[in-house]
Amino acid sequence: MRTQRQVVDYSLQKRAVLRELLAGRVGTYDVCDASPYLKNAARFHGEPTDRRCPICRSENLTLVHYIYGDELKQSAGQARTLTELPVLAMTLREFQVFVVEVCLGCDWNHLVEQYLLGRDGLAGDNDGEQDVAAEGAGRRRREAQR
């Protein structure tokens, strides 16, 4: 998405959790603890992937996108489909998206990434483009006057 910024990737943390599980320092019940709300969000708002669950290896993972922000008011904390995010990004100034992967088979879940979306990401880009265009127009005017 064009306005996506300040991306935080949690893949290193995920690898550490899986390493702890394989070493026996963490139990399966500690990492496979998806709440009923998260599982419902995955069923109704999730985006299926082609990646297999790292725990049960029988189900594909589903990505759930949760949104948070001051402008959202009562909608904050809701799961949204991936197709809804660009529309929200053009209507709201700024909001945060948290992406969680979920296995509906064994209840594995882990925060995958977080990032900001919104019109504020476009404002900085457009201002810079307008400044460059204005500077170029001013230079052409000065050259024409010579």
Side-chain angles (χ1 to χ4, degrees), residues 83-135:
T83 56
E84 291 176 293
L85 294 180
V87 175
L88 287 169
M90 291 299 117
T91 57
L92 299 171
R93 287 186 52 230
E94 184 175 89
F95 63 96
Q96 210 164 20
V97 179
F98 291 86
V99 184
V100 179
E101 66 180 16
V102 182
C103 175
L104 295 172
C106 70
D107 295 347
W108 158 262
N109 64 96
H110 196 274
L111 179 63
V112 176
E113 70 177 346
Q114 81 181 60
Y115 53 88
L116 288 177
L117 283 179
R119 287 190 329 253
D120 280 359
L122 291 175
D125 294 341
N126 288 344
D127 289 347
E129 291 170 8
Q130 289 171 355
D131 291 345
V132 169
E135 182 180 319

Side-chain angles (χ1 to χ4, degrees), residues 134-146:
E135 182 180 319
R139 190 176 327 120
R140 284 190 295 272
R141 239 181 279 122
R142 284 190 299 271
E143 289 172 1
Q145 289 173 351
R146 288 183 191 164

Side-chain angles (χ1 to χ4, degrees), residues 38-49:
L38 178 58
K39 289 168 61 175
N40 278 336
R43 274 189 208 96
F44 297 111
H45 302 287
E47 303 292 328
T49 67

